[in-house]
Amino acid sequence: MTDILLSEAEKKYLIDGVKLGMRVDGRERLDYRRLELETGLVCTANGSARIRLSSTDILVTVKMEMEPPDPDNPFCGKLQFFVNCSANAAPEFEGRGGEDLATTLSGMLERLYSSPFTIDKTKLCVVPGKYVRVLYIDIEILECGGNLFDAASLGVKAALYSTRMPQIYVTGEDGGHLEFVVSDNPHDVDRINISNAPILITHLRSAVELGEQIDRCLCEKLLQEERVPERQIKGFLDK
């Protein structure tokens, strides 16, 4: 995550604001910043979404490929997550600086969507045991202004909602190889049911000042606020 160094006076100012229910940008503790969400921006992808949360800016694209399934799950398609932290998003992302964040974020999304209750991956099966749809989900962090994980999870859900997968028909078999026809009708598509796709909600649970425990919750955190609390709690909603 982007590193911001705060003086003790700045930390005290942030904590005092939490006590009074007034944050440095004028919001109350549970208020969100203005959010902008657009879908269907990338015509070369099966689905896409761009989310802007104040100065946090993320682009998510979904591309479909047809591949053999995993031997342990011959009837289930797959979702693969890839995160790229643009060097323009923050100075710390230059070179290999963003790799740890990208690994952490992609790993969290993999765990969230590994549950069978999020998305029915059997709907991605084309030929059981032979071919399934694989959705490659690319998350490009264009600018980092705090609350990155929550914004990314919302962007992924929106991109999956906008995803259109052309219908695939098996037309025959030649020499042991199946032959397929992919529909070019823009209305002959399959959609993804994202009703149970999760959205992360991170709460900053507490802060400490001179040994005093301040039990307050903050949501939709700024970068500065991420440096003050003692612990974070990540939960998710699936509705």
Side-chain angles (χ1 to χ4, degrees):
M1 185 64 67
T2 306
D3 194 17
I4 290 183
L5 299 178
L6 298 178
S7 67
E8 291 303 314
E10 289 173 314
K11 291 179 181 179
K12 185 177 187 305
Y13 179 73
L14 288 169
I15 292 172
D16 287 343
V18 173
K19 287 181 178 179
L20 297 172
M22 183 61 67
R23 298 158 74 174
V24 294
D25 59 357
R27 290 182 291 152
E28 295 186 6
R29 287 192 291 267
L30 300 181
D31 289 344
Y32 272 71
R33 291 174 287 178
R34 177 181 174 84
L35 183 149
E36 297 179 16
L37 185 62
E38 300 175 85
T39 59
L41 299 174
V42 182
C43 61
T44 56
N46 293 92
S48 61
R50 185 171 184 175
I51 181 169
R52 296 181 181 91
L53 192 60
S54 186
S55 56
T56 294
D57 192 357
I58 299 175
L59 177 67
V60 182
T61 58
V62 181
K63 293 187 177 180
M64 185 204 79
E65 299 288 345
M66 196 167 64
E67 299 178 6
D70 290 333
D72 295 336
N73 294 290
F75 303 100
C76 294
K78 295 179 284 185
L79 277 68
Q80 302 286 339
F81 294 91
F82 301 92
V83 178
N84 180 50
C85 300
S86 170
N88 296 325
E92 290 77 12
F93 292 168
E94 293 182 4
R96 301 174 62 89
E99 286 192 3
D100 288 344
L101 174 62
T103 300
T104 301
L105 179 53
S106 60
M108 178 167 288
L109 290 168
E110 293 273 6
R111 289 193 297 275
L112 285 175
Y113 281 88
S114 65
S115 169
F117 302 107
T118 55
I119 286 179
D120 185 0
K121 299 181 183 66
T122 62
K123 300 294 186 182
L124 300 176
C125 183
V126 179
V127 180
K130 293 188 176 181
Y131 290 102
V132 296
R133 291 184 174 103
V134 181
L135 301 181
Y136 290 94
I137 303 170
D138 293 299
I139 300 129
E140 184 79 20
I141 300 173
L142 305 174
E143 190 172 356
C144 180
N147 205 20
L148 206 56
F149 283 65
D150 297 10
S153 70
L154 182 56
V156 167
K157 184 166 185 173
L160 289 172
Y161 171 78
S162 74
T163 296
R164 269 70 170 168
M165 302 176 293
Q167 295 221 355
I168 301 171
Y169 303 98
V170 179
T171 58
E173 187 174 353
D174 184 14
H177 297 284
L178 295 175
E179 296 180 341
F180 300 92
V181 170
V182 178
S183 175
D184 57 2
N185 184 341
H187 302 291
D188 192 13
V189 295
D190 291 323
R191 303 285 302 277
I192 300 172
N193 183 355
I194 57 131
S195 299
N196 294 324
I199 296 175
L200 280 171
I201 298 178
T202 304
H203 276 191
L204 305 187
R205 180 58 181 166
S206 61
V208 176
E209 179 191 18
L210 300 177
E212 177 187 1
Q213 188 76 17
I214 306 164
D215 193 8
R216 302 284 195 274
C217 277
L218 295 181
C219 69
E220 219 287 276
K221 58 198 181 299
L222 298 168
L223 280 176
Q224 300 98 308
E225 294 168 340
E226 293 176 352
R227 298 298 172 263
V228 177
E230 187 181 54
R231 65 180 182 269
Q232 298 184 27
I233 300 174
K234 294 187 184 295
F236 67 90
L237 295 177
D238 59 2
K239 290 291 185 182

